[in-house]
Amino acid sequence: MDVIDGFADSSHPVYGQATRLAKNHQARLRLLHVLPTHPPSAPHRQGESVTLAIATSSLWKRFDRRCMELLKRYADKATAQGIYTDYQQVRGEIGTTICAAARDWAADLIVLSHPDAETEHQTDPAILSQVPCSTLFVKSAA
């Protein structure tokens, strides 16, 4: 049984649920973090400052690195619990990328944070209807 954990820094309940499931079912845990293809504040208009583009690029690289470090810490923590764990950080559209990873990894289950009004990254229900496995939504701690 493969469990894919779609998480962000604020979604510890998702990680906890995914690790419990993986441990209880002696499953492999695959952690996936999807970054958008472009930084939200990346300049796209012609004539914008090159300095702004460089600053944005530098901040984006730092964000990318911090996310990868967090992902590795989560993976190391699960591995220390005896759970076979691997992880991947990719760029792409969240729903499409999750679906592709689930297919590529032949996942049995995807664990995601519950999409609500406060969630920054909404996963399109139309995309999730194409997921080739079960999906478990975990509500964030209130």
Side-chain angles (χ1 to χ4, degrees), residues 23-41:
K23 190 167 189 159
N24 290 342
H25 294 279
Q26 298 178 339
R28 164 185 263 171
L29 178 65
R30 293 185 168 182
L31 302 173
L32 175 67
H33 188 227
V34 181
L35 293 170
T37 54
H38 297 288
S41 59

Side-chain angles (χ1 to χ4, degrees), residues 14-142:
V14 173
Y15 174 79
Q17 183 67 35
T19 54
R20 279 190 297 279
L21 286 167
K23 190 167 189 159
N24 290 342
H25 294 279
Q26 298 178 339
R28 164 185 263 171
L29 178 65
R30 293 185 168 182
L31 302 173
L32 175 67
H33 188 227
V34 181
L35 293 170
T37 54
H38 297 288
S41 59
H44 294 288
R45 293 181 305 208
Q46 189 173 13
E48 287 189 312
S49 168
V50 173
T51 304
L52 177 61
I54 291 170
T56 301
S57 175
S58 176
L59 289 172
W60 186 244
K61 287 176 185 174
R62 192 172 4 175
F63 175 72
D64 189 315
R65 190 172 45 254
R66 285 186 181 170
C67 289
M68 186 57 108
E69 290 167 0
L70 176 65
L71 190 58
K72 184 179 182 329
R73 281 197 305 269
Y74 276 125
D76 290 346
K77 186 177 174 184
T79 300
Q81 296 178 52
I83 301 167
Y84 182 83
T85 308
D86 55 5
Y87 60 97
Q88 181 179 18
Q89 180 167 283
V90 296
R91 294 193 191 289
E93 189 281 317
I94 294 171
T96 304
T97 304
I98 291 170
C99 288
R103 273 191 295 278
D104 292 348
W105 292 345
D108 298 306
L109 177 66
I110 298 173
V111 182
L112 296 167
S113 58
H114 187 275
D116 57 31
E118 296 176 14
T119 304
E120 288 181 22
H121 56 278
Q122 296 284 338
T123 305
D124 185 352
I127 297 290
L128 288 179
S129 68
Q130 300 173 26
V131 173
C133 61
S134 297
T135 303
L136 173 64
F137 288 101
V138 177
K139 196 133 180 106
S140 298

